[in-house]
Amino acid sequence: MLSSLPRTDPTARRYPWYVLAAVCVGMLTVSLDTGALNAAYPSLADAFGVPVAVISWVGIAYMITTVSSLAIYGRWADMVGRKRVFLLGYGVFIAGSLLAALAQNFIWLLAARVVVGSGAAMLIANSVAIIGADFPANRRGTAIGAMETSVAAALALGPIVGGVLVDHLSWRAIFFVNWPSGLVGLALGAMILRDGERAPKRETFDFLGAALFVAGMASFLIALTAGSTLGWDAPIVTVGLALALVLLPLFLAVEQRVPQPMLPLTLFRSRVFAAANAAKMCGYFAMMATLFTLPFYLERALGFTPAQIGVGLTPIPIALSAASLIMGPLSDRIGSQIIAPAGLAVCAVGCVLLTQVTPATGYPAVFVGVLVLTFGMGSFISPNDSAIVSAAPSDKLGVAGGILAMMRNLGMILGLAAAGTVLSARVAAYQADGLDASGAFVGAYHDFYLITAAVVVVGVVASLVRGRTLPASGERPG
């Protein structure tokens, strides 16, 4: 097997690229599943006889499970081996997909998506860590750029694949389709990946910290998602936020006292690690805001049909992929300290451009704004992720990768919650002032992108103050 090749073998010099292929298959599998599910919501609502607001919890359950467990699985992988947890993630993901495909009622489907989310978290938390461990620093940006490109491509193809499968087969097919790519990825991972470094045998898993983190984070995420749909005065929001305010500080207190914490807070003593993660969350706030609000703008302001909306979204994966492929290798040569904040600054410019679009300017103005925003985001991702990985010790790459992925998903959830809340509130305010539905939505859209631009500027500042990282020149420092 490739994983057993001696380091002196010529094939071993190509080994990191085989590793990248195995990781990319995992990210393609997870991202394709996420995108395909978006096309199946109407069919799922009809099949189980539940309203759209309820069926959306199929996605929310997956998202909450994934986000709240990423750091845990990263820490676990550091202890027992990243290959082991990565392969287990495939097994859990495939099993959960089978359970979802066979679901006989809504609760069954919801539980199956929790299983799928747990498997996805094992894969996601370890993807960047595996790349960081096997790629030298002077190739890490290129590798992460390639991985991000695979994610963007799968997210773009997901709704198309899902739509075809639902139209020609059934909603169950979107879960069965996870099996081929999942089994291929499992086989590749088993043949290619090495076990890598592990924590010393004497380390134990922090079960109390993990329980407090999952409970606190899940409470916070449930409150956020419920608040944006049910209203911020709903009882579930109040209870969720109250629990989060108690459990998360308690988690931080426990982590400072246990010998081997689930989430080593010492990682955040590195200004590079802490600030780059904060910048990542701000960037993905804008990314999710665009993915969520753009279809509504195309429909309500420009009158696009569903088919036209699909075409109108194409600048997003194209710009993300192009920027990742260009800026990843460039950051390997000149370092990330210039490209990462510059990419977010371009993203902020795109947000400002979207505050100027109107039905009169049509789709071309939207195309330019979205292209600038997503190209800036794609330019930011690879160098910023490379900086995060480089700032983490080699024996903490798993938990660092979990934190990185958690910040990405937190940014997306915050962007989604903010978009729903701000658009609803501002549309109501503009309609109260006498604007029609279309005019009110355009005004609310402009207001939201001013807020989004401000969030991205905060990310630019964080990316600038994180400090200089050494230009990539070889192996990771110990």
Side-chain angles (χ1 to χ4, degrees), residues 97 273 353 403 428:
S97 297
F273 186 87
L353 290 175
I403 293 169

Side-chain angles (χ1 to χ4, degrees), residues 23 63-64 74 76 80 101 150 195 214 216 229 274 289 325 341 374 405 460 471:
V23 169
M63 178 175 60
I64 290 174
W76 186 38
V80 304
S150 70
D195 284 327
V214 169
T229 54
L325 288 175
T374 49
V460 174

